[in-house]
């Protein structure tokens, strides 16, 4: 599973970064990695997604409307859920998209369901809670 390998690699690089006193090498390697990833995406997009399911998923991620019935379906349904929530939302438990339109709505796309039910206000509240947790435990950790 490629996504798990990428996450494990990112954690290992982050641990080495924290342990190393020389951060300039990591900044240069990070810039190089971002440039390589951008070049790879550019090449995949220009090939039209040919060459495997991963390439097709990257193209569908960048333009979900082009493959709305297959690879872009979940992304589009999540965007519909976010857009239909409006500012105040439809109310708790009143999401229509989670009733079969968004596959795996209880885990993969929970934020879109929250946005539909609680609207922009609920989305901002969730983001503020994550910011609070980040500030509390990452920026100013307690001894």
């Amino acid at each position: 599973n490629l996504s798990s390998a990428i996450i494990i690699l990112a954690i290992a690089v982050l641990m080495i970064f924290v342990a190393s006193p020389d951060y300039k090498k990591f900044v240069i390697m990070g810039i190089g990695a971002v440039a390589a990833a951008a070049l790879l995406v550019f090449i995949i997009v220009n090939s039209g997604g040919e060459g495997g399911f991963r390439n097709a998923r990257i193209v569908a991620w960048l333009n979900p409307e082009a493959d709305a019935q297959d690879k872009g379906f979940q992304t589009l349904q999540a965007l519909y859920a976010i857009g239909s929530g409006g500012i105040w939302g439809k109310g708790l438990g009143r999401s229509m998209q989670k009733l079969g339109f968004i596959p795996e709505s209880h885990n993969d796309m929970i934020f879109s369901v929250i946005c539909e039910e609680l609207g922009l206000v609920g989305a901002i509240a969730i983001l503020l809670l994550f910011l609070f947790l980040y500030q509390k435990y990452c920026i100013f950790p307690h001894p």
Side-chain angles (χ1 to χ4, degrees), residues 36-142:
L39 179 65
L40 182 65
V41 169
F42 179 75
I43 291 170
I44 290 171
V45 168
N46 284 336
S47 74
E50 298 297 323
F53 76 96
R54 287 189 180 103
N55 294 353
R57 289 184 69 185
I58 289 173
V59 171
W61 169 65
L62 292 172
N63 187 12
E65 294 89 6
D67 196 9
Q69 295 300 317
D70 189 25
K71 301 272 190 270
F73 182 77
Q74 184 171 358
T75 304
L76 281 176
Q77 295 303 319
L79 290 172
Y80 295 153
I82 292 169
S84 69
I87 294 179
W88 300 108
K90 294 180 174 180
L92 282 176
R94 295 189 180 185
S95 170
M96 293 301 295
Q97 295 299 102
K98 73 177 179 185
L99 299 177
F101 296 104
I102 300 177
E104 303 297 325
S105 63
H106 59 284
N107 54 15
D108 286 351
M109 294 290 178
I110 189 67
F111 187 72
S112 61
V113 173
I114 290 171
C115 289
E116 185 178 14
E117 291 183 356
L118 302 177
L120 180 65
V121 175
I124 290 173
I126 294 292
L127 293 176
L128 287 175
L129 286 171
F130 275 115
L131 187 65
F132 171 74
L133 286 172
Y134 177 76
Q135 172 265 328
K136 183 170 178 77
Y137 294 107
C138 295
I139 296 177
F140 303 112
H142 295 289

